[in-house]
Amino acid sequence: MSLFKKLFGGGGSKPDAPSETYKDFRITATPIAEGQAFRVAATIEKEVDGKMRRHELIRADTMQGLEAAQVASIGKAKQVIDEQGERIFR
């Protein structure tokens, strides 16, 4: 598997990846497996001016379990949305 595929989740979310809508943003948890741990990562999407925008969020944080990483990924995405709003797409 290429380094970019590992870092960016292979270009799409997995069908069983948890997702939710938060403040009109669609968040999909996309933790990245790294050995026995999972790196916190998520995709944030929103339609802006008639165009679907997408931001790939990847953090240095790692968690020991997939479920914990998914929860942390969604939480971190919400924090970024609260702090930056639509500026994340710039």
Side-chain angles (χ1 to χ4, degrees):
M1 180 178 281
S2 77
L3 174 64
F4 290 111
K5 190 174 271 191
K6 284 183 184 178
L7 285 176
F8 299 108
S13 61
K14 297 177 182 169
D16 58 347
S19 61
E20 65 179 74
T21 300
Y22 179 73
K23 295 185 177 180
D24 294 328
F25 290 82
R26 184 76 177 158
I27 303 169
T28 304
T30 56
I32 301 166
E34 293 188 354
Q36 303 259 328
F38 293 87
R39 182 162 310 280
V40 171
T43 300
I44 302 171
E45 298 174 304
K46 183 177 182 183
E47 188 173 320
V48 179
D49 297 327
K51 187 176 184 182
M52 186 57 77
R53 304 296 306 263
R54 180 183 181 121
H55 177 77
E56 298 293 333
L57 175 77
I58 300 174
R59 293 290 182 247
D61 315 61
T62 58
M63 309 298 285
Q64 289 303 309
L66 177 60
E67 285 186 34
Q70 290 170 332
V71 169
S73 296
I74 289 178
K76 209 44 121 159
K78 287 179 179 180
Q79 180 182 356
V80 169
I81 290 166
D82 289 341
E83 292 172 356
Q84 298 182 33
E86 291 180 6
R87 288 180 294 156
I88 62 172
F89 302 125
R90 292 185 188 161

